[in-house]
Amino acid sequence: MVTPAQRINQVKEYYFSLKLKEIARMNAEGKEVINLGIGNPDQPPAPEVLEILNTTSLRSDVHGYQSYIGIPTLRQSFSKWYKRFYGVALDPEREILPLMGSKEGIMHISMAFLNPGDEVLVPNPGYPTYASVSQIVGAKIISYDLQEDKGWHPNLKALEEKDLSNVKLMWVNYPNMPTGAPANSKLFEDLIAFGKRHHIIICNDNPYSFILNDNPQSILSVPGAKDIAIELNSLSKSHNMAGWRVGMAASNPQFIEYILRIKSNMDSGMFRPLQEAAAKALSLSDDWYQQVNRVYKNRKKLVLEILKSLQCTWQENQSGMFVWAKIPAHYSSAKELSDKILYDAHVFITPGFIFGSGGERYIRISLCTPEDKLKESLNRIKNHITK
Ligand SMILES: Cc1ncc(COP(=O)(O)O)c(C=O)c1O
């Protein structure tokens, strides 16, 4: 009998992968489920970005393998983008590595820095990939709580009461997903000092700083941060290019070289027209970001109405393309509420437990659905759930 590797037993199929199959079955039965679950931007990339993709792909000399480190134009564009929006200087030659989205960066970084048995600090609630990738590489997960009354920021003092001697890496993600909590300079400064004190690499996963957020911030803006921090960024959400798979890692040249050593053994570069178009996206004017955000802002008003009708409560200062809200006491769990809404109103809302036990009494609604569908969801929920 052929048995899979042990690591297969350590990870389950991704929750959304399973749920989307169930939604597809319900749709096949004619139920027309509205999916308010996934953060998959439905607005298109900027027309000038698509233009570059189209014209470049017609050339005959762009279809071969590309460099493992991305074309210089793309690395330079990332560098200018970091300077313009985050005030961070990055050497395009040595401190930036283009990636196929930030998700793969989580795997590359884990493979580059974690030995089996090394400990890794993972937020609860948090993006599930930090934990699943840690398990795949055989690291030991030390989960740390994020709490609403602490602004969903880690309690570093409480962490320092533990033995941190085996901890190698800490995942943080601000603006935070799923909670929408913003960072602030003090948090980033404290994290860098904490990382340096304990020789823990601080990885900030930063794909949401351009969505409903007036003040994009990078952990690398803290003086000396590059010595101990890595930042992941992505065009998936900021430029409506999730399916293109373009992201980046930034850090000191040595860390970038370690990550490249893994990555260059796993893929063979990104399609050149896509890189040229991504470089264009990074130079779009402020107007473009504002226009995308106007759409999210209007949708958010409707999402808040949905949450109000469900008697949920939420924090006002959320960034990113979701709203995270606490469910009322009369539901036993967010899973119960999410399933009820799915089966009775045919609307899918993400239950917070998939982000860890800290999310058990929360739900997350995505802003990636047009207003007419949100209005329809509101009506269905009013008719079937809260009547
Ligand atoms: C916190 C967080 N990090 C990373 C990703 C992955 O994004 P990318 O498309 O850049 O791989 C997501 C996507 O949902 C996310 O929510």
Side-chain angles (χ1 to χ4, degrees):
M1 205 177 63
V2 176
T3 52
Q6 281 164 3
R7 70 178 67 87
I8 283 290
N9 300 322
Q10 281 154 9
V11 283
K12 292 201 270 306
E13 186 175 343
Y14 203 51
Y15 171 83
F16 281 119
S17 165
L18 289 168
K19 207 69 191 175
L20 288 177
K21 285 182 198 160
E22 185 180 1
I23 292 171
R25 278 196 299 275
M26 291 176 70
N27 284 336
E29 292 162 10
K31 292 189 173 143
E32 295 183 12
V33 176
I34 301 176
N35 185 346
L36 304 183
I38 287 193
N40 189 6
D42 60 319
Q43 299 182 70
E48 52 271 54
V49 173
L50 297 174
E51 176 74 24
I52 303 260
L53 178 69
N54 288 339
T55 51
T56 313
S57 60
L58 291 174
R59 279 171 39 190
S60 60
D61 61 341
V62 293
H63 301 279
Y65 289 123
Q66 296 298 313
S67 148
Y68 295 101
I69 56 169
I71 59 172
T73 320
L74 179 57
R75 278 184 278 119
Q76 281 151 13
S77 300
F78 270 127
S79 170
K80 284 187 196 143
W81 189 62
Y82 254 73
K83 189 82 203 146
R84 174 175 155 206
F85 287 106
Y86 299 113
V88 172
L90 292 173
D91 176 353
E93 301 301 320
R94 301 185 320 140
E95 294 182 330
I96 291 176
L97 181 63
L99 302 172
M100 295 178 184
S102 48
K103 193 173 184 180
E104 74 155 16
I106 298 169
M107 175 62 87
H108 297 330
I109 290 169
S110 302
M111 292 187 80
F113 291 99
L114 297 173
N115 287 317
D118 280 348
E119 293 180 354
V120 50
L121 288 165
V122 170
N124 173 20
Y127 184 47
T129 303
Y130 310 135
S132 54
V133 167
S134 302
Q135 274 162 336
I136 290 171
V137 300
K140 182 169 171 214
I141 295 166
I142 311 288
S143 148
Y144 69 88
D145 291 340
L146 301 181
Q147 286 166 341
E148 186 159 358
D149 59 357
K150 304 265 185 322
W152 303 106
H153 287 183
N155 184 343
L156 297 177
K157 278 212 181 86
L159 275 178
E160 281 184 318
E161 282 162 18
K162 298 184 180 187
D163 174 12
L164 298 174
S165 54
N166 292 324
V167 177
K168 192 80 183 287
L169 196 144
M170 176 180 194
W171 288 106
V172 294
N173 151 233
Y174 291 95
N176 186 255
M177 198 293 299
T179 69
N184 55 42
S185 306
K186 166 109 176 47
L187 171 66
F188 281 157
E189 282 159 20
D190 289 350
L191 280 166
I192 295 301
F194 171 84
K196 287 190 173 180
R197 247 189 333 271
H198 300 282
H199 309 287
I200 294 173
I201 300 164
I202 308 294
C203 285
N204 185 42
D205 183 18
N206 189 6
Y208 291 104
S209 52
F210 288 86
I211 311 296
L212 297 182
N213 181 23
D214 295 333
N215 179 26
Q217 267 186 301
S218 162
I219 198 165
L220 301 180
S221 62
V222 177
K226 275 182 231 166
D227 299 342
I228 198 73
I230 303 171
E231 187 156 270
L232 291 172
N233 217 316
S234 169
L235 273 64
S236 293
K237 330 280 175 176
S238 56
H239 295 84
N240 297 334
M241 289 161 66
W244 293 46
R245 314 307 303 134
V246 187
M248 61 166 278
S251 187
N252 64 68
Q254 179 67 79
F255 282 8
I256 290 294
E257 197 267 324
Y258 293 146
I259 299 167
L260 175 65
R261 243 191 267 179
I262 298 292
K263 181 175 160 60
S264 61
N265 281 292
M266 300 193 79
D267 69 68
S268 302
M270 259 188 282
F271 185 43
R272 169 94 181 254
L274 205 141
Q275 296 194 57
E276 303 269 4
K280 178 73 190 175
L282 292 165
S283 68
L284 290 169
S285 71
D286 291 359
D287 288 352
W288 190 80
Y289 294 92
Q290 283 158 11
Q291 173 204 315
V292 170
N293 276 301
R294 267 198 297 278
V295 173
Y296 285 131
K297 207 168 164 186
N298 289 332
R299 291 176 179 179
K300 190 164 178 172
K301 289 181 197 148
L302 288 164
V303 166
L304 296 185
E305 278 194 52
I306 293 175
L307 289 169
K308 205 163 129 194
S309 80
L310 290 167
Q311 295 173 273
C312 291
T313 51
W314 59 89
Q315 304 250 323
E316 292 295 339
N317 64 342
Q318 298 187 30
S319 294
M321 50 181 46
F322 306 98
V323 184
W324 177 249
K326 194 165 191 171
I327 60 167
H330 56 269
Y331 289 106
S332 66
S333 68
K335 184 175 182 308
E336 181 202 336
L337 176 58
S338 166
D339 282 345
K340 186 171 168 53
I341 298 170
L342 177 61
Y343 302 132
D344 296 353
H346 301 165
V347 173
F348 174 61
I349 290 176
T350 307
F353 79 89
I354 72 159
F355 305 107
S357 57
E360 270 164 13
R361 298 211 57 83
Y362 292 84
I363 52 174
R364 190 196 76 170
I365 300 188
S366 161
L367 302 176
C368 298
T369 306
E371 285 185 46
D372 58 336
K373 293 271 188 221
L374 290 170
K375 284 182 190 154
E376 167 72 15
S377 304
L378 179 61
N379 287 338
R380 288 190 195 177
I381 285 170
K382 280 186 172 164
N383 288 335
H384 296 279
I385 310 291
T386 57
K387 210 169 177 177

